[in-house]
């Protein structure tokens, strides 16, 4: 019994010791409380995440330095600018030394005004057809082609250049009032010219253009995202790839257009490699596609001039409603839609455009009698 009491006391003592430990009576606990264990467990994860972020930031910095250095080197190597083709003709039009070309020697005058990133050469398929019955003139607006690059690249400045060109060509007087054909954004230029000097013109055609300031162009953040030296490198890389130029041309012109051979690629590429071309390009992109407010365009309806609107039937730059809406806005007959044509109808369908010009010329001559 004494042994039993001793064993019982030992068990009781063991229990008391365990109880003292639970109450923090000096004995070390067997394990840390759950919150402490969780905190200790998360520390290695946070430490690894910080190390990973530091390494990622360092890697990005290294890549940025390498890309920037490579961009500067590439821009330096490709800094040589192109020379214009031989045999170009120039005239002073307002404050711009202006490249121009003429076709034909007899008949009513027609002046062709290109759109954004185009040139005199854009009319190379249409102009010879018109020259059968017209004296045809075309000019490079400043910022494009081979004319002097002299901003601002606005409708106002383009219009002053156009009217100055009419002066230089001795057009605008009795019997010499030209029909103006404005393609794409050039539609805004010929519209403004008609509003400023209707008595000097024989008529106005809006070709694949509604003349409106629609805000089209790159987003405002463009100038902050594409900065030098990177934008220069991207532009030059893109221009150096024939497939890129052919792809853009094909999308705008459509399957009815002749494919671009090496000379055709150079025709679109070389103007963008001229001195001052890159600076002008960025300025024009920042300003967006040139155009006029709707109420300004609508004033053309009150001008007594023959007018017409011609669009490619598959022109996806505008909505399907745009051609007829434009015709109503400027007081022209219903728009002419060229089957199968997209945004470059003068290249894809020069015969159809020439026919439309002839019709408008006939109206102009009839009203002038």
């Amino acid at each position: 019994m004494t042994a039993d009491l001793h064993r019982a006391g030992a068990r009781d003592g063991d229990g008391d010791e365990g109880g003292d430990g639970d109450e923090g009576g000096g004995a070390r606990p067997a394990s840390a409380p759950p919150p402490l264990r969780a905190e200790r467990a998360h520390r290695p994860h946070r430490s690894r995440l910080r190390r990973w972020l530091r390494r990622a930031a360092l890697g990005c910095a290294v890549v940025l330095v390498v890309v920037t250095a490579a961009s500067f080197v590439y821009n330096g190597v490709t800094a040589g600018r192109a020379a214009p083709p031989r045999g170009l003709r120039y005239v002073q039009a307002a404050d711009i030394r202006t490249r121009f070309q003429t076709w034909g020697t007899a008949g009513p005058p027609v002046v062709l005004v290109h759109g954004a990133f185009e040139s005199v050469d854009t009319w190379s398929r249409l102009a010879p057809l018109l020259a059968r019955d017209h004296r045809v003139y075309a000019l490079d607006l400043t910022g494009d082609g081979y004319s002097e690059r002299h901003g601002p690249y606005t409708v106002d400045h383009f219009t002053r250049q156009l009217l100055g060109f009419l002066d230089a060509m001795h057009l605008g007087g009795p019997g010499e009032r030209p029909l103006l054909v404005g393609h794409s954004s050039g539609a805004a230029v010929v519209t403004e010219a008609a509003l400023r000097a209707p008595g000097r013109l024989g008529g106005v055609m809006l070709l694949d253009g509604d003349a409106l300031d629609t805000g089209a162009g790159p987003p405002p953040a463009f100038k902050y995202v594409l900065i030098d030296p990177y934008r220069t490198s991207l532009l030059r890389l893109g221009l150096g790839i024939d497939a890129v130029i052919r792809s853009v041309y094909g999308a705008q012109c459509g399957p009815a257009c002749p494919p671009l051979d090496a000379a055709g690629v150079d025709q679109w590429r070389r103007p963008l490699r001229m001195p001052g071309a890159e600076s002008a390009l960025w300025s024009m992109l920042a300003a967006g596609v040139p155009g006029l407010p709707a109420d300004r365009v609508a004033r053309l309806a009150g001008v007594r001039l023959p007018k017409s609107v011609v669009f490619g039937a598959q022109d996806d730059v505008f909505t399907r409603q745009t051609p007829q809406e434009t015709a109503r806005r400027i007081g022209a007959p219903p728009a002419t839609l060229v089957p199968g044509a997209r945004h470059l109808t003068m290249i894809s369908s020069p015969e159809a455009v020439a026919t439309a010009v002839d019709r408008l010329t006939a109206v102009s001559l009839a009203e002038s009698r």
Side-chain angles (χ1 to χ4, degrees):
M1 183 175 180
T2 301
D4 291 337
L5 290 173
H6 178 75
R7 286 194 292 270
R11 287 196 297 272
D12 291 339
D14 291 341
D16 291 340
E17 183 177 352
D20 291 343
D22 288 344
E23 295 177 7
R28 184 179 297 273
S31 60
L36 183 58
R37 289 200 304 270
E39 181 179 352
R40 288 174 177 172
H42 281 94
R43 283 178 183 172
H45 294 292
R46 288 199 296 266
S47 179
R48 284 195 296 271
L49 178 61
R50 284 195 294 268
R51 287 197 301 271
W52 185 88
L53 290 175
R54 284 196 297 268
R55 290 171 182 170
L58 179 60
C60 290
V62 170
V63 170
L64 181 61
V65 169
V66 171
V67 170
T68 302
S71 183
F72 274 116
V73 170
Y74 176 77
N75 293 350
V77 171
T78 58
R81 300 288 78 198
R86 294 180 179 180
L88 299 186
R89 300 168 66 189
Y90 290 87
V91 70
Q92 191 69 23
D95 58 344
I96 305 296
R97 184 172 182 265
T98 300
R99 180 260 182 126
F100 75 100
Q101 190 169 345
T102 62
W103 299 261
T105 58
V110 176
V111 176
L112 307 174
V113 182
H114 64 75
F117 313 121
E118 300 171 2
S119 71
V120 163
D121 300 309
T122 311
W123 305 103
S124 61
R125 300 195 75 205
L126 173 64
L129 298 180
L130 294 176
R132 295 177 300 200
D133 300 301
H134 301 271
R135 286 170 291 138
V136 184
Y137 304 79
L139 73 157
D140 284 348
L141 296 177
T142 181
D144 291 315
Y146 299 102
S147 287
E148 175 187 8
R149 284 166 168 81
H150 179 19
Y153 303 106
T154 60
V155 173
D156 172 70
H157 200 193
F158 296 145
T159 303
R160 285 190 281 118
Q161 182 187 9
L162 173 57
L163 294 177
F165 179 72
L166 299 187
D167 291 336
M169 297 292 104
H170 307 291
L171 297 173
E176 294 293 328
R177 296 187 175 94
L179 170 67
L180 300 185
V181 179
H183 178 253
S184 193
S185 62
V189 181
V190 301
T191 296
E192 183 62 21
L195 293 174
R196 294 186 187 185
R200 300 182 60 187
L201 306 181
V204 176
M205 175 182 288
L206 307 191
L207 177 63
D208 300 321
D210 60 5
L212 293 177
D213 179 8
T214 60
F222 175 83
K223 60 182 177 180
Y224 300 109
V225 175
L226 278 185
I227 59 176
D228 267 336
Y230 316 112
R231 68 181 185 182
T232 298
S233 298
L234 289 172
L235 174 63
R236 294 179 184 177
L237 284 168
L239 287 176
I241 303 173
D242 291 1
V244 171
I245 296 175
R246 289 191 172 102
S247 175
V248 174
Y249 166 83
Q252 292 287 296
C253 208
C257 289
L260 289 183
D261 56 12
V265 170
D266 182 69
Q267 175 183 303
W268 289 93
R269 171 193 287 146
R270 189 184 298 203
L272 292 170
R273 287 180 165 175
M274 293 295 295
E278 291 172 350
S279 176
L281 172 66
W282 304 128
S283 296
M284 289 189 288
L285 287 176
V289 177
L292 297 170
D295 59 344
R296 181 71 176 165
V297 176
R299 293 184 186 182
L300 189 57
V303 176
R304 293 179 58 85
L305 275 177
K307 309 155 198 145
S308 68
V309 174
V310 179
F311 269 76
Q314 276 72 52
D315 189 339
D316 58 5
V317 173
F318 299 92
T319 68
R320 292 296 182 95
Q321 294 74 37
T322 295
Q324 302 306 339
E325 289 175 352
T326 301
R328 287 193 294 270
R329 183 178 291 113
I330 69 171
T336 297
L337 299 181
V338 180
R342 294 187 187 175
H343 191 59
L344 296 173
T345 52
M346 65 285 208
I347 299 176
S348 67
S349 311
E351 295 85 358
V353 178
T355 298
V357 171
D358 288 340
R359 284 200 300 264
L360 186 59
T361 300
V363 174
S364 176
L365 291 175
E367 292 188 2
S368 65
R369 293 192 180 100

